[in-house]
Each structure stands twice: as C-alpha cells, then as structure tokens.
Amino acid sequence: MEMHIVTWNTAYGTMENAMTHPDGLAVLAFLFEVAGYDNPVFTRLTKTLNGIQNPDDEEDVQVFPLINLIQHNHKYYRYQGGLTTPPCSEVVQWTIFRDTIHISKSQMSAFRKLKSPGINGTSQPLVNNFRPVQPINYRKVQASFLPL
C-alpha cells in the first residue's frame, strides 16, 4: 500500500487555487509492508476506517500526528512532479520516504474495505487507483542520504 498526505501552499488560499501554481502542493508518500504485528501508530485510524468505508461517509478522526510516521523514517527522495490523478498538474513537490512502514494484516484489511466513487452513483473497491510510471524527463531526483 502507498499512502499520500497532500498539503497545499496556504499562501494561495485554497487547494484549488494552489493547484494553479508550480509550488502549490507538497505530497508526502509512505510505502507499507504487511507484518505479523499491529502497528500501534495506526490502531485508532484503522478502527475509525470501519465507519467510513463508502465515499460519502463521514467520521471524526482523532489527532493523527505526522511525526509518528516520520520519526523513524528519515531517508527520503524528493523531486518536482505532478498529481497522479487528473488533472495531473505539474505542481507537486514529492517527498517519498525510502523505508516501508509495517502494518498488520488486520490493519491492512481496514484499508482494503474502503470504497471509491464508481459509475452511476455506485461504489467500488479503492484499489489500483494510480497512473502508469511516467518518464523521468528532465526531473532531478534528490536523496536525503548517500547511496550504499
């Protein structure tokens, strides 16, 4: 699983307005790996997901400090790129953390129950919602660490 946390440059007021500027968005990307134990960082979140499986469901989520995701994951790659969903605007500063985050099968199950909007008001499983890998073109990919 890959999780994106999308933020926008508040100097532009709204996310919609920020999406029209080259420095409008920043995305933190985290990769997950199934492990044989629960990750306590995700316990409250995965319990909350049970109440918001469908696209129009709403639920109050308790505070989820980002530091819990980052504190043991200091190595990352960074590049200027685009959104992975339409309109695919080239306005994103991507930060992709190198090390995977462990999550149990039962916690992953809570994410796998999530639905996305489908055709004619139906919902469908929230899976395979990515675009193909794009050419690097002239992008410079930076790393926060020296390679081995």
Side-chain angles (χ1 to χ4, degrees), residues 13-27:
T14 66
M15 185 171 180
E16 291 76 19
N17 194 31
M19 288 174 56
T20 65
H21 298 274
D23 64 341
L25 302 180
V27 176

Side-chain angles (χ1 to χ4, degrees), residues 88-119:
C88 300
S89 307
E90 294 284 327
V91 297
V92 179
Q93 177 68 49
W94 280 94
T95 301
I96 303 168
F97 291 90
R98 186 191 75 170
D99 299 326
T100 58
I101 297 172
H102 291 103
I103 192 168
S104 70
K105 285 183 180 181
S106 64
Q107 288 175 314
M108 182 65 81
S109 174
F111 285 98
R112 288 185 172 140
K113 291 177 185 173
L114 297 176
K115 306 274 193 242
S116 64
I119 300 170

Side-chain angles (χ1 to χ4, degrees), residues 66-137:
L66 291 179
I67 193 68
N68 291 344
L69 296 175
I70 299 170
Q71 67 186 355
H72 300 295
N73 204 347
H74 298 285
K75 296 178 181 178
Y76 57 86
Y77 302 96
R78 183 170 281 165
Y79 67 94
Q80 191 68 31
L83 292 169
T84 59
T85 56
C88 300
S89 307
E90 294 284 327
V91 297
V92 179
Q93 177 68 49
W94 280 94
T95 301
I96 303 168
F97 291 90
R98 186 191 75 170
D99 299 326
T100 58
I101 297 172
H102 291 103
I103 192 168
S104 70
K105 285 183 180 181
S106 64
Q107 288 175 314
M108 182 65 81
S109 174
F111 285 98
R112 288 185 172 140
K113 291 177 185 173
L114 297 176
K115 306 274 193 242
S116 64
I119 300 170
N120 299 326
T122 63
S123 60
Q124 61 189 26
L126 181 60
V127 296
N128 299 326
N129 60 340
F130 56 89
R131 69 178 182 173
V133 173
Q134 303 296 299
I136 196 166
N137 293 325

Side-chain angles (χ1 to χ4, degrees), residues 47-64:
K47 286 181 181 178
T48 302
L49 291 179
N50 290 325
I52 55 170
Q53 294 177 11
N54 296 299
D56 294 328
D57 293 344
E58 293 184 22
E59 185 78 29
D60 288 333
V61 179
Q62 294 182 7
V63 175
F64 185 77

